Every structure is written in structure tokens, then in C-alpha cells.
Amino acid sequence: MTRWIDLEGAVNARDLGGLPTRDGGVTRRGRIFRADNLQGLTPADVALLVGELKLRHVVDLRSHAEVSLEGPGPLTLVPEVTHHHLTLFAEGGRHTDVEADTAPVPESIDGDRVLPWQEREVDEELRVTGFYFGYLRDRPDAVIDALRAMARTDGAALVHCAAGKDRTGVLSALALELAGVTRAAIVDDYVATGERLELVLKRLRASDTYRDDLDSRPADDHMPRARYIEQFLQVLDDRFGGPLAWLTAQGWTAADTEAVRARLRD
């Protein structure tokens, strides 16, 4: 059974249900969704998400600049839906998630100290994973609040950014880790965006907000690769004792973990 949600105005929407867990279970469908930019949702899309899928919470990880340039989206007009705007970029910083594909290694990421490379050379893993750690470094409060919003019990939740790949990928990976999903399945969910990447890039190139960033590199450079999220999770393991330990250090509680598990598990 497919996890994809077919929408007219978004191309990278899928359910975090149906994924295997470490204890032999499977995550529940219809509880937490992930997606790309929701600006183009049609009335039929809204009816599907809100009416049929009971969407009640949207976690928007876009920056303030993106929301200002692109608009808040049609779901903000739906009274049943609560919006949680939680940017993962530091205020005054750069504003598109495609920069995880295009930006140089963040200057504040010390490869020798933060990332346990055997070879001290700048490569794709360092650049992309360094960008992902920038989310955690710059906005740990937003990471915590986003995960808590995703665990609300009064209906389904959806987390999204622009491409639904980097920021959404990190938050989805953390939620799935908390729910006890196998690492292999977390990686599979992350790379699944590659199946829709051509459509994602086509949509983003239609926007002045994202076009220049995207066109600065070949399309293949935007592909989500398994080693990026694997390295991200491995560094959390090696440096902090795992994603849960990092979250706990930011104020995450056992009750928060149980809330996420209750949302995604039977």
C-alpha cells in the first residue's frame, strides 16, 4: 500500500505510517504526514487533507522570508487547521532549504571536531550534514516545538518546508527515531523524495524565491542520498548518545517521547 498522498498542488506528500519498527511493529497511517510547499493546494486538495485525512495541525518549517515571499498558503484559511510556523534558520540568515544543496560548508561547523571523518576533506556528506546540524544548533527550540506539534492528538499533523527534503527530512527522521522505526526504514523514507525530485524541482523553479538557488547546480546535486541522513544520525549517536539524548539535553521529556510513540504506534 503506497504511502504517497496524491495532491494536485504538492508533489512530495506522504504518510509516515507503514514503516517497520525495531520491535517488529509498523507505524500507524493517517497520523503524521510530510510534504513539500503547500502554496499550490487546490480546493480538492484541501478537502482531501482536512475532510478525509482529518488534518488539524500544519508544522511549517519555512523561514519568515519564505513565508513573506511565497505566502502562508491556503490551509491558513481553514479554521479547523492550526498552524505552527517554526523556522529552522537563525533569524537574519539565508532563507531557502535548497541551500542545503548549494551552500558551502557552514563556517561554524568544525569538521574535525563535530564530524568524525577519517579523511579531513570537504565532501558532500560534510556539506549537507553540516547544514542539517545547523538546524539543531541554531533553532533547537523550533525542533522541539515542531516535534511536539507533530504529536498533537486532535487530528493528523503535517510537517513541510519548500522541497520537503532537508528540513522536513530531519524532523521526520527524528520523529521516526522516537517512534522506534528501524534506521534502514528511516533512511528509506528520507531517500523516497528522490522518486519525486524532478517534479519537486519543476515546482520550485516556477518560483522566483527558489529558482536562482536551484539553477546554480545540476539537478542531480539536489538528490537526497542515503549517506547524508546516515551520517547525520551517526554523528548524533557518536557525539550525544543518540537523537533522544540530544533532544533531552534541549528540554525534551519522557512524556514527549511517549506522545510521539502514541501517535505513530498502536
Side-chain angles (χ1 to χ4, degrees):
M1 184 175 180
T2 181
R3 294 193 299 119
W4 292 104
I5 302 170
D6 291 325
L7 301 170
E8 297 173 0
V11 297
N12 193 19
R14 58 186 181 272
D15 198 325
L16 292 187
L19 297 173
T21 59
R22 295 188 292 271
D23 60 1
V26 178
T27 54
R28 297 186 68 175
R29 294 179 183 272
R31 297 300 185 85
I32 301 179
F33 311 126
R34 57 177 293 175
D36 50 331
N37 199 348
L38 304 179
Q39 296 306 113
L41 293 184
T42 66
D45 293 334
V46 173
L48 172 63
L49 290 169
V50 179
E52 185 174 334
L53 299 180
K54 307 302 181 186
L55 179 65
R56 295 297 181 267
H57 293 275
V58 170
V59 180
D60 184 350
L61 303 178
R62 295 177 301 163
S63 68
H64 293 287
E66 284 171 281
V67 174
S68 176
L69 291 167
E70 293 286 292
L75 285 173
T76 60
L77 302 177
V78 179
E80 298 96 321
V81 177
T82 299
H83 273 72
H84 310 264
H85 182 213
L86 298 162
T87 177
L88 295 189
F89 287 118
E91 292 305 312
R94 303 168 77 172
H95 62 255
T96 70
D97 70 342
V98 298
E99 287 174 352
D101 302 312
T102 61
V105 178
E107 293 180 0
S108 56
I109 295 293
D110 182 340
D112 287 345
R113 183 170 56 84
V114 177
L115 303 176
W117 306 111
Q118 293 182 351
E119 296 179 6
R120 305 302 184 184
E121 60 186 26
V122 173
D123 57 16
E124 289 298 293
E125 288 94 329
L126 176 55
R127 181 173 54 75
V128 175
T129 304
F131 217 83
Y132 289 178
F133 272 95
Y135 306 154
L136 274 58
R137 179 198 63 232
D138 293 338
R139 294 306 306 270
D141 55 332
V143 172
I144 295 290
D145 289 346
L147 288 169
R148 286 173 174 160
M150 292 161 68
R152 297 291 183 93
T153 60
D154 55 335
L158 182 151
V159 58
H160 81 97
C161 50
K165 178 170 71 73
D166 297 306
R167 290 169 287 185
T168 298
V170 167
L171 263 295
S172 297
L174 292 174
L176 294 173
E177 175 77 18
L178 292 168
V181 171
T182 66
R183 285 287 173 89
I186 292 173
V187 172
D188 287 345
D189 177 69
Y190 172 79
V191 301
T193 290
E195 299 176 30
R196 302 287 179 97
L197 185 63
E198 184 177 349
L199 294 172
V200 170
L201 296 180
K202 180 179 179 180
R203 288 192 69 227
L204 293 178
R205 284 194 174 99
S207 166
D208 291 339
T209 306
Y210 305 112
R211 185 182 306 111
D212 289 344
D213 283 335
L214 287 169
D215 288 343
S216 65
R217 298 184 70 164
D220 187 63
D221 283 4
H222 304 293
M223 183 67 68
R225 306 185 193 283
R227 63 183 186 270
Y228 300 159
I229 200 68
E230 289 170 345
Q231 183 66 55
F232 172 75
L233 294 170
Q234 187 62 53
V235 173
L236 282 176
D237 290 342
D238 294 343
R239 290 209 63 207
F240 302 101
L244 177 58
W246 180 86
L247 288 166
T248 300
Q250 314 308 315
W252 187 257
T253 68
D256 290 326
T257 298
E258 181 56 35
V260 173
R261 289 182 61 86
R263 289 300 285 159
L264 283 172
R265 301 293 301 274
D266 292 325

